[in-house]
Amino acid sequence: MTIVVATEDFEVYHDVVGELRDRGVRFTTVEPDGELPDGARIVIRGADDEVTTELPTVVADPNRPRKAVEEALGLLRGENGRTVIGIDPGTRPGIAVLSGDIVVASFHVPISDAADVVREEAKDAIDPVVRIGDGARLQGSQLIRELEDVRIELVDETGTTPYLGTGARGMGDVLAAVNIARLEGKIVEEREIEPTAGELGVIKRRSRERSADNREIDEELARRVAAGELTIEEALTEHRKE
């Protein structure tokens, strides 16, 4: 299984080769007019390179080398290269991007950034699916509301969080996201959640912790935060106006 990088564009060469090395993928490089080696399966070239070949070819954007590498790997894997994005929801969701059975990217970001990360990873994929664990109800429903233009499946996340041994602290959310991505779920378009008294209490407590003057928002504002209409900071601003 060999990928050939055939380009005179230094930026494409440098960044694509870097991405391939980071993934441990076997590859070789040739001049665009050079002879392709035996065993070549995929060619990656720049937009201005002319490569004569009947092999599948990926045109690399110098600003998006990872996309070119993922497209090439997807072609190598054939139909099993579908992009699946798993999310272990929470205040800092773990996010894992799989192409077939291979993890190609992972993230651990604040909930406020999660939808943007998922949209970026799904943007150029063919028929991607996002699988969200059903554990953190409020954060999961918030993500479902924000991700309108992609297929979403809600997954029973029971047993998806692995045991973490020595030195693996902080990896649990991302590893759970990998496991969630590998489980089929139920297709959903929306998930309306009525927050419990306990969940509202947590939001109120967080508002007090984040407020410089020890201010706690009221229940109505807490419900709007739970629904994703306001951030805690925005709710505090509203509370100060009252």
Side-chain angles (χ1 to χ4, degrees):
M1 181 179 78
T2 301
I3 293 175
V4 179
V5 181
T7 183
E8 293 181 340
D9 185 321
F10 175 77
E11 189 174 0
V12 168
Y13 173 88
H14 179 272
D15 293 346
V16 168
V17 166
E19 290 285 342
L20 290 167
R21 283 176 175 157
D22 286 346
R23 286 167 170 74
V25 177
R26 190 172 66 182
F27 70 94
T28 190
T29 63
V30 299
E31 295 295 323
D33 59 354
E35 183 177 350
L36 298 180
D38 293 339
R41 298 276 301 280
I42 303 287
V43 175
I44 301 178
R45 66 175 178 84
D48 297 328
D49 297 307
E50 294 186 7
V51 180
T52 302
T53 180
E54 296 182 356
L55 294 175
T57 300
V58 174
V59 179
D61 180 341
N63 296 315
R64 306 192 68 189
R66 183 158 67 87
K67 175 181 178 296
V69 170
E70 289 175 2
E71 184 178 345
L73 293 174
L75 289 170
L76 282 173
R77 299 183 192 109
E79 295 180 358
N80 293 325
R82 183 184 194 184
T83 296
V84 180
I85 302 172
I87 306 175
D88 182 31
T91 55
R92 286 184 61 86
I95 302 172
V97 185
L98 277 64
S99 179
D101 288 330
I102 305 299
V103 179
V104 297
S106 63
F107 306 87
H108 197 209
V109 298
I111 184 67
S112 57
D113 297 335
D116 287 339
V117 168
V118 173
R119 279 191 287 265
E120 180 64 24
E121 293 302 311
K123 182 168 62 176
D124 297 310
I126 298 173
D127 191 29
V129 59
V130 176
R131 291 174 174 160
I132 301 178
D134 64 355
R137 306 183 324 139
L138 297 181
Q139 291 83 9
S141 62
Q142 177 181 337
L143 288 169
I144 290 170
R145 286 192 299 269
E146 293 181 1
L147 297 170
E148 298 177 348
D149 301 323
V150 66
R151 172 190 170 116
I152 297 177
E153 296 179 7
L154 193 63
V155 173
D156 179 356
E157 64 176 53
T158 303
T160 56
T161 300
Y163 166 75
L164 298 178
T166 303
R169 184 176 180 180
M171 297 175 60
D173 294 335
V174 171
L175 293 174
V178 173
N179 289 332
I180 287 167
R182 288 175 169 155
L183 297 173
E184 292 189 9
K186 179 181 178 181
I187 298 175
V188 293
E189 295 181 358
E190 60 182 17
R191 190 187 190 200
E192 295 299 330
I193 294 295
E194 178 64 26
T196 65
E199 289 166 337
L200 293 174
V202 169
I203 292 171
K204 290 180 181 182
R205 186 180 71 249
R206 286 178 180 160
S207 71
R208 188 171 64 251
E209 292 169 350
R210 297 187 190 183
S211 172
D213 54 359
N214 203 39
R215 181 182 296 268
E216 183 178 284
I217 61 176
D218 57 33
E219 183 165 319
E220 180 182 351
L221 287 171
R223 287 183 178 277
R224 294 178 66 187
V225 172
E229 298 175 12
L230 297 172
T231 64
I232 288 180
E233 287 73 19
E234 290 168 341
L236 283 166
T237 300
E238 291 290 323
H239 194 265
R240 292 187 182 97
K241 294 177 181 178
E242 295 177 355

